[in-house]
Amino acid sequence: MADALSVIPAAVLRNLSDKLYEKRKNAALEVEGIVKQLAAAGDHDKITAVIKLLTTEFTYSPQSNHRKGGLIGLAAATVGLTTEAAQHLEQIVPPVLNSFSDQDSRVRYYACEALYNIAKVVRGDFIVFFNQIFDALCKLSADSDANVQSAAHLLDRLVKDIVTESDQFSIEEFIPLLRERMNVLNPYVRQFLVGWITVLDSVPDIDMLGFLPDFLDGLFNMLSDSSHEIRQQADSALSEFLQEIKNSPSVDYGRMAEILVQRAASPDEFTRLTAITWINEFVKLGGDQLVPYYADILGAILPCISDKEEKIRVVARETNEELRTIKADPAEGFEVGPILSIARRQLSSEFEATRIEALHWISTLLNRHRTEVLSYLNDIFDTLLKALSDPSDKVVLLVLEVHACIAKDPQHFRHLVVFLVHNFRVDNSLLEKRGALIIRRLCVLLDAERVYRELSTILEGESDLDFASIMVQALNLILLTSCELSELRNLLKQSLVNSSGKDLFVSLYASWCHSPMAIISLCLLAQTYQHASAVIQSLVEEDINVKFLVQLDKLIRLLETPIFAYLRLQLLEPGRYIWLLKALYGLLMLLPQQSAAFKILRTRLKTVPSNSFGGDQLKQSSSGNPYQILHHIQGGSQITEDGDINQDNKNSHNGINFVARLQQFEHMQHQHRLHAKSHVQSLGNPTSTLTKEVQRPEEPRRPSSDINKPPSKTSRRGPG
């Protein structure tokens, strides 16, 4: 200290702490000259003493004017040292850096000025303090004083110039500092950071791309900044990096993919678009590197497919298709489970497009890696079943395709149908709204006969009789009306002449017994008209309730459709199809006379031509009444089924034991009647089977006199 006082005159030291800037400046010039002389003489001990004096007595002084003078003095000393300043930087720079956090804004301003002058002198030797300087500049970029900010910007530009031309800069040491500050929200700091990233990336010898995963998330964070300028700068930097990635032979896609997946779910639209664009490029470029991240990437893509912004939807769809074309092998590390988990989760999405693509993924995986997918079946099966209740028909159809693909294996087929029936049982609305769609589509995908046989087997043992009846009625209506089941109908029409048709008829009969109208419909379809007549006459009072009449009304209307054209044409030969006539008249007798269905069927039966009977029959029955005709025909021959006269009277036809079938039907209907009675008793409100809805203001009239009383009960039943 004594050496410094002997070198620097007291007047100079006094002026160095003066409140006037001009006096401090002149004093600093004096210090510069003194240090220059000492440096020329090589007296570095005295130079050290001068720097120490300026530091302890001035820069660390409680007086702000002293601190200002100390800063300008240190800068002057550095200028005086010129080329020899490097060896004294350890003394000069720390007190200046310390002044950046001074409470006096003017001191901070002069600290910037001082460091600027020091940096101009020492240039590359300055790099050793880069991290501390960067940290200080980062804080000053957000300084509350505009003058300090302006001075910091000037210093920042100079430091950038020095770094870009220096070979001593260490990017490895700098990156942790950058990463630490990337999530700062202050807009000035963000501008400062993006500026540094851009500058360093422009230096050929600095590999910023290799460290991109360390600050990529921070850049994406800035895309949603309230400042348009910051968003633009961040976007520009990201665009530049993406271009470098396209041109680079080796990139760490994995770490960045994790970041992009998170950012693809950002609430900010621009951030989502940028993230999905990057993912799109990664999928095209990443190859095997991305295999472990396929599930995460898919999890980011699927929601974006339904994004409200069209640009995002377009890129997401393109990326999805690109990802699906990549055929990764489980043997190479590709895991089916995580992909299935993502697809299953997205089946709960509120957006139809996302649910559809999730199903496409499950379908794709089933086609490519069936064994692996089936090993995860327990994890996804319940979700797939729930998807059958989806409000979108497109989704339901795709779910059915997936189910059909799974059900190619017999055990899975049984599993599917059992759960499908279970779903219909617990969710009546599903059967009502989607039953036809689901059953018809499954019949197309899995073979109609196979589906109906399995459903019949399950429903035959159904304990919930009400549900069984409703389900059978639904299946019967689908069977009678759907174009997809035309082959099944054709097979049933051959039940009396074809073993396959017979087997199907018997298979369906067991469960169709749950519904009288379903059985009658099945018999009409299978052309087992004698048995249909026997079923009709076996009905008792309790069977003919409002539900029965509603179903009967539907059947009568169906008889007028093209599906039953063959039946109506058979009425042209009433002598041959006497049991058909008897069955239809039996239905007519069950209908209330005032109902529309009664009038439809009566009108149809009136058109039956009487002149197609034999002459003797006509003489005996001038009215052409089919019951009379039946009576006369039975007198001279035996009829087992319509169109098959003069055969031995047997209890079976083509192996079908109709007596046993009728007993089976009557037994099942007895169970239904017992169930209905117990239900009524449990409610404590017994009512008539035929409800008030069916009753008319006046009792239905008896059939008109031109229809004679049918034969006795024994003769009515016949052999079947």
Side-chain angles (χ1 to χ4, degrees), residues 455-466:
L455 285 167
S456 180
T457 301
I458 294 168
L459 291 170
E460 182 182 355
E462 175 61 48
S463 59
D464 186 342
L465 296 182
D466 291 335

Side-chain angles (χ1 to χ4, degrees), residues 378-406:
N378 289 338
D379 297 334
I380 64 171
F381 199 74
D382 285 346
T383 304
L384 287 172
L385 284 171
K386 289 177 183 175
L388 290 171
S389 304
D390 196 278
S392 164
D393 285 349
K394 290 182 179 178
V395 172
V396 172
L397 291 173
L398 277 172
V399 171
L400 290 171
E401 287 187 18
V402 172
H403 277 301
C405 189
I406 294 171

Side-chain angles (χ1 to χ4, degrees), residues 526-717:
Q527 302 186 70
T528 58
Y529 301 134
Q530 182 181 5
H531 189 66
S533 178
V535 168
I536 292 168
Q537 294 186 55
S538 74
L539 298 174
V540 299
E541 179 184 352
E542 289 91 340
D543 295 329
I544 307 170
N545 53 33
V546 65
K547 294 179 182 177
F548 175 88
L549 292 175
V550 170
Q551 292 295 315
L552 178 54
D553 184 277
K554 289 181 181 178
L555 176 60
I556 300 306
R557 295 177 190 278
L558 281 172
L559 290 176
E560 297 299 315
T561 63
I563 288 172
F564 281 105
Y566 71 91
L567 183 149
R568 298 195 300 275
L569 290 173
Q570 287 171 350
L571 292 175
L572 292 172
E573 302 178 79
R576 185 181 180 192
Y577 293 99
I578 198 72
W579 289 111
L580 170 58
L581 271 171
K582 186 173 181 180
L584 294 179
Y585 269 102
L587 295 178
L588 187 68
M589 295 305 106
L590 297 176
L591 286 165
Q593 281 187 306
Q594 302 304 315
S595 66
F598 178 88
K599 295 171 183 176
I600 292 171
L601 184 54
R602 184 179 62 177
T603 302
R604 173 61 63 185
L605 290 172
K606 280 182 177 180
T607 63
V608 175
S610 58
N611 59 3
S612 56
F613 293 96
D616 293 339
Q617 296 163 7
L618 267 173
K619 290 175 184 177
Q620 296 172 1
S621 177
S622 58
S623 66
N625 187 295
Y627 291 138
Q628 291 180 354
I629 295 165
L630 172 64
H631 176 73
H632 292 298
I633 290 176
Q634 286 179 331
S637 61
Q638 297 294 330
I639 303 175
T640 57
E641 279 294 342
D642 282 344
D644 190 7
I645 306 176
N646 296 324
Q647 291 189 0
D648 292 336
N649 185 11
K650 300 178 181 178
N651 288 336
S652 66
H653 191 94
N654 192 28
I656 303 175
N657 188 334
F658 285 108
V659 171
R661 298 282 78 78
L662 185 60
Q663 290 173 349
Q664 185 180 22
F665 169 73
E666 290 176 336
H667 174 72
M668 182 62 76
Q669 287 307 301
H670 178 66
Q671 296 297 320
H672 275 271
R673 287 191 289 273
L674 290 177
H675 172 71
K677 287 177 181 177
S678 64
H679 180 65
V680 170
Q681 289 171 359
S682 67
L683 294 176
N685 183 27
T687 57
S688 172
T689 306
L690 196 60
T691 66
K692 293 180 181 179
E693 295 178 41
V694 188
Q695 295 173 357
R696 302 292 175 182
E698 59 182 55
E699 289 296 319
R701 293 173 302 196
R702 287 189 168 279
S704 57
S705 59
D706 63 331
I707 301 178
N708 294 337
K709 182 179 178 181
S712 65
K713 191 170 184 179
T714 305
S715 65
R716 285 203 309 263
R717 292 225 176 168

Side-chain angles (χ1 to χ4, degrees), residues 25 102 129 144 172 175 396 416 511 558 587 642 709 714:
K25 183 180 179 181
D102 197 284
F129 298 100
S144 57
E172 290 81 3
I175 289 299
V396 172
L416 167 63
S511 60
L558 281 172
L587 295 178
D642 282 344
K709 182 179 178 181
T714 305

Side-chain angles (χ1 to χ4, degrees), residues 38-50:
L38 292 172
D43 196 346
H44 286 279
D45 290 338
K46 288 186 177 179
I47 294 173
T48 300
V50 169

Side-chain angles (χ1 to χ4, degrees), residues 45-58:
D45 290 338
K46 288 186 177 179
I47 294 173
T48 300
V50 169
I51 294 171
K52 187 176 181 181
L53 173 66
L54 293 172
T55 301
T56 56
E57 298 297 321
F58 287 85

Side-chain angles (χ1 to χ4, degrees), residues 4-239:
L5 292 173
S6 64
V7 172
I8 302 176
V12 171
L13 294 174
R14 193 165 50 251
N15 287 335
L16 198 60
S17 60
D18 198 273
K19 63 180 181 179
L20 296 175
Y21 172 74
E22 287 300 324
K23 287 188 176 182
R24 292 199 302 272
K25 183 180 179 181
N26 290 332
L29 291 173
E30 293 284 345
V31 171
E32 179 186 336
I34 292 168
V35 171
K36 189 178 291 185
Q37 291 175 0
L38 292 172
D43 196 346
H44 286 279
D45 290 338
K46 288 186 177 179
I47 294 173
T48 300
V50 169
I51 294 171
K52 187 176 181 181
L53 173 66
L54 293 172
T55 301
T56 56
E57 298 297 321
F58 287 85
T59 59
Y60 291 127
S61 170
Q63 301 295 322
S64 61
N65 288 331
H66 279 68
R67 297 198 296 275
K68 295 172 188 175
L71 289 168
I72 197 171
L74 288 173
T78 306
V79 173
L81 285 166
T82 60
T83 57
E84 297 182 33
Q87 58 185 298
H88 294 281
L89 284 179
E90 289 288 348
Q91 285 179 281
I92 296 170
V93 173
V96 178
L97 292 175
N98 182 68
S99 299
F100 281 144
S101 57
D102 197 284
Q103 61 182 4
D104 189 329
S105 62
R106 295 305 294 166
V107 173
R108 297 198 298 274
Y109 175 86
Y110 285 118
C112 292
E113 185 183 71
L115 195 58
Y116 182 91
N117 290 324
I118 293 168
K120 282 181 68 176
V121 173
V122 298
R123 304 295 293 185
D125 295 325
F126 186 67
I127 296 299
V128 68
F129 298 100
F130 175 77
N131 282 8
Q132 296 97 304
I133 294 169
F134 179 84
D135 187 44
L137 286 172
C138 189
K139 295 172 182 174
L140 289 175
S141 64
D143 198 278
S144 57
D145 189 284
N147 291 322
V148 175
Q149 279 193 30
S150 179
H153 289 159
L154 286 172
L155 175 59
D156 182 49
R157 283 199 291 271
L158 176 61
V159 174
K160 285 174 181 171
D161 289 341
I162 293 170
V163 167
T164 55
E165 66 187 24
S166 172
D167 57 0
Q168 299 178 43
F169 176 74
S170 173
I171 185 67
E172 290 81 3
E173 294 179 11
F174 168 69
I175 289 299
L177 196 66
L178 177 64
R179 183 175 59 233
E180 185 182 329
R181 284 158 179 74
M182 282 304 291
N183 290 321
V184 173
L185 299 179
N186 187 285
Y188 297 108
V189 175
R190 284 184 161 183
Q191 278 187 306
F192 172 79
L193 295 173
V194 174
W196 269 100
I197 291 170
T198 305
V199 166
L200 292 176
D201 188 47
S202 67
V203 181
D205 295 335
I206 298 177
D207 180 24
M208 284 293 281
L209 186 60
F211 295 96
L212 181 56
D214 291 289
F215 55 87
L216 180 63
D217 191 58
L219 280 176
F220 267 94
N221 224 358
M222 296 178 190
L223 290 175
S224 58
D225 195 277
S226 57
S227 167
H228 175 72
E229 187 177 356
I230 294 173
R231 292 199 303 272
Q232 204 168 33
Q233 288 176 345
D235 181 47
S236 178
L238 285 167
S239 298

